[in-house]
Each structure stands twice: as structure tokens, then as C-alpha cells.
Amino acid sequence: LLKAITTADGSCTLYSSEYGEHYHNIKDGALNESLSKHIVPAFSYFETFPDSINILDICFGLGYNTLATLYYVKQHAIDAKINIFSPELNRDLINNLATFEYPSEFTPFKPIIQELAKSYRYENSELTVEVCIGDAREYIRQFSDRFDIVYQDAFSAKKNRALWSLEYFKDIRRALKDNAIITTYSIASNVRYTMHLNGLYLYEHIASNTKRSTYATTIKRVGYSEIDMGKKLQNNPSLHPIIDS
Ligand SMILES: C[S@@+](CC[C@H](N)C(=O)[O-])C[C@H]1O[C@@H](n2cnc3c(N)ncnc32)[C@H](O)[C@@H]1O
């Protein structure tokens, strides 16, 4: 059974003793964080949606980002096929998801959670979700020009370096479509710099109800708070990218 921890908005998360971190920011709230730092900035980015939206969810964990996407798409009656691809190392976690106490917003998706916990895949005419048990680094190498949206939600770069490095983001960059967005809770300068070195444009996202966060795009956006990496480097010449160890 998964030992739930209640966060600020009443939704539950987990603590990983392996990584020494929670799955979500306790003060922001699990559901609130997922919506405000990932789903809202990602879906607000597009003026029009393609017929199908391909999303890479790094990594599945409790599946908040996938489930909050389904919640948002339903709430906003977004008329697009949603395809979510999500690697996850922890098979036991996925197998036990049906026992986890999710917020009531996710109640309509209970059959999806049950199916994913059993067979790692769910499909109907509007939706595909694929959870791939294994290493995200290997998983992402198979894609090029595939994703509109990437939720970058690994544990912190200090604890989960392999999912924040220059080499990792090079593979992510190749997997993006021409017009794509990556959302992340991280506001660390070295994370932003590492993404910048892969040719991405970096922006600060301010939400009223969470800590600030970051998103990166393949196309430069005018009129938004772009992070000036040149200036950051001038102010901090010891800024280095994160590289594979
Ligand atoms: C911060 S949690 C993800 C939170 C998730 N978005 C949610 O809503 O619960 C990070 C997840 O990444 C997984 N993980 C860490 N390194 C990985 C790797 N190399 N490949 C696949 N999964 C990995 C961990 O098992 C953990 O479930």
C-alpha cells in the first residue's frame, strides 16, 4: 500500500526514501502544482491545437500530470486526440496506483488508473496513455519530431541528474516538434542554462497560487518574460551546464 502524505491543497503525494524527496511540493499542493506549473502553461501556450496532441510525461510517478491533463482537457472541452507517453522506472509503484487516494477531480479517471496499473496502457478513440516501465533515457531515444508538450517532472537535478543533463536534453530536443513546449517546476539556473545550450528559449512562469516555475519553447515568444541567459552568465561566470556523470 502507498503511504500518502497530504499536501497544502488537500491532495496527496508520496515521499521517496530512495531519492530523499517528495513527489510534489508540499506547500504548493500536488494537484495545484501539476495544474499550475505544467498543464496550464502547456495548454495556454498553443493558440490552436493540432488534431492530436502528443505529450511526453517525465516521469509517470503517481500520474498527476497525465490525470490533470485529462481533467483539464475535459473541463475546457478541448477537441483533440490526446496521446500521452510516459516512462517510469518503478514498476511496483505503477502496480499499486489503484490503491492510492487521488483527489476527487480524478474520480472519473479511476478506470484508466486501474487499467494502467494492470497493463500499462489505456486506449479509446480520444485518448492513448502508454506507461513504459524502464529507463527514461533509453525510452526517449526512439523519438524524433514527435512531441508538442513535455512535462519535465523528475526528482531534483541534485538527486536525479540523468534526467537533467545536456545529453538528456539533447535527446528531448530531438523528440520535440517544430513548435513545442517543455514545462518544469525547476527554477535552477544550471537547469535553465542546460536547456538553453540545447537551443531552447527559456521563460519564467508566474502563477498566483504556486512558486514560480520555468518553461522552454522551440520558437521564440514575443511579449513574455524570457530569461536572458547572456546576462545570467555575465553575472555568474561559474554557471555550468549539468552533464552526465
Ligand atoms: C518527482 S517524481 C514524478 C512525479 C509525477 N509527475 C507525479 O505526478 O507523481 C519522479 C519519478 O521519476 C522516476 N524516475 C527517476 N529516474 C528515472 C529514470 N531514469 N527513468 C524512468 N523513471 C525515473 C521516479 O521513479 C519517480 O516516480
Side-chain angles (χ1 to χ4, degrees):
L1 216 68
L2 304 173
K3 195 174 168 290
I5 294 160
T6 306
T7 69
D9 64 358
S11 62
C12 291
T13 193
L14 287 182
Y15 177 76
S16 165
S17 39
E18 192 185 340
Y19 290 90
E21 289 182 1
H22 288 97
Y23 279 62
H24 295 91
N25 183 304
I26 302 288
K27 285 190 196 142
D28 285 337
L31 176 60
N32 189 32
E33 173 169 56
S34 173
L35 282 169
S36 301
K37 296 183 189 171
H38 295 284
I39 286 75
V40 171
F43 278 82
S44 311
Y45 172 70
F46 294 97
E47 275 162 27
T48 53
F49 293 108
D51 290 344
S52 61
I53 304 174
N54 293 340
I55 301 173
L56 178 64
D57 183 2
I58 301 283
C59 293
F60 196 82
L62 293 165
Y64 266 83
N65 293 338
T66 287
L67 297 165
T69 299
L70 305 186
Y71 173 71
Y72 184 95
V73 164
K74 210 169 160 197
Q75 290 276 307
H76 291 79
I78 291 168
D79 183 24
K81 166 106 199 279
I82 305 292
N83 302 312
I84 303 179
F85 300 83
S86 186
E88 174 53 57
L89 270 182
N90 191 341
R91 183 190 295 271
D92 279 351
L93 172 63
I94 303 301
N95 291 154
N96 285 299
L97 288 182
T99 66
F100 190 73
E101 262 180 72
Y102 285 102
S104 60
E105 285 83 348
F106 293 169
T107 304
F109 313 123
K110 194 137 193 163
I112 299 178
I113 299 164
Q114 282 165 344
E115 191 57 41
L116 291 174
K118 255 195 329 211
S119 63
Y120 315 113
R121 193 178 169 81
Y122 179 90
E123 193 158 13
N124 65 27
S125 58
E126 291 150 23
L127 171 70
T128 303
V129 184
E130 172 184 293
V131 176
C132 182
I133 304 297
D135 183 2
R137 286 293 292 267
E138 266 173 43
Y139 182 72
I140 62 174
R141 277 187 203 128
Q142 65 182 297
F143 299 109
S144 66
D145 195 19
R146 174 70 71 95
F147 297 108
D148 302 283
I149 295 170
V150 177
Y151 302 136
Q152 172 63 28
D153 196 20
F155 289 116
S156 74
K158 282 200 184 92
K159 303 281 175 70
N160 208 179
R161 185 189 187 91
L163 300 187
W164 298 95
S165 68
L166 204 55
E167 297 86 345
Y168 164 80
F169 278 115
K170 188 172 179 212
D171 289 339
I172 292 285
R173 178 70 189 81
R174 198 191 46 242
L176 298 176
K177 286 195 192 159
D178 288 346
N179 185 19
I181 180 166
I182 303 173
T183 57
T184 181
Y185 66 87
S186 177
I187 51 168
S189 294
N190 61 350
V191 165
R192 289 171 164 177
Y193 185 43
T194 304
M195 290 203 252
H196 164 83
L197 289 176
N198 274 297
L200 294 161
Y201 300 95
L202 274 300
Y203 298 85
E204 182 131 299
H205 177 68
I206 317 260
S208 58
N209 53 357
T210 55
K211 262 180 67 177
R212 63 207 167 92
S213 61
T214 303
Y215 64 90
T217 60
T218 49
I219 294 176
K220 195 177 170 75
R221 270 189 125 180
V222 179
Y224 291 83
S225 48
E226 187 177 348
I227 293 153
D228 185 342
M229 274 300 156
K231 206 158 138 200
K232 288 250 185 228
L233 265 177
Q234 258 175 13
N235 294 340
N236 181 5
S238 68
L239 192 57
H240 287 295
I242 299 162
I243 51 171
D244 279 347
S245 46

